Amino acid sequence: DVLTVPASLAGLPAASVPCGLVVQEGRSLPVGMQLVGPALREERVLAAAAAVERLVGRFAPPVAAEVGA
């Protein structure tokens, strides 16, 4: 994804965490959050990602029938 490239090029640890769904034009679309941390501090990013998962719960993406495919 083009939005993850800057963190990678900068050498920063990053994680993408699924956060839920948003309804747009009658379709449920997945929403995620990208967390970026300081260089060489991967453990901070992983801890933050785990905390987000605990707060929002585990997210199961919709099946194709739910998104209108």
Side-chain angles (χ1 to χ4, degrees):
D1 185 283
V2 70
L3 298 176
T4 62
V5 172
S8 296
L9 290 176
L12 300 174
S16 179
V17 183
C19 292
L21 297 172
V22 62
V23 177
Q24 184 175 8
E25 297 177 7
R27 294 176 33 195
S28 295
L29 301 171
V31 176
M33 176 190 314
Q34 183 181 20
L35 304 169
V36 180
L40 304 175
R41 298 305 303 261
E42 290 85 356
E43 73 280 358
R44 280 186 169 181
V45 174
L46 293 174
V52 169
E53 282 188 340
R54 281 192 301 275
L55 289 172
V56 299
R58 291 283 179 171
F59 171 74
V63 294
E66 292 175 354
V67 293

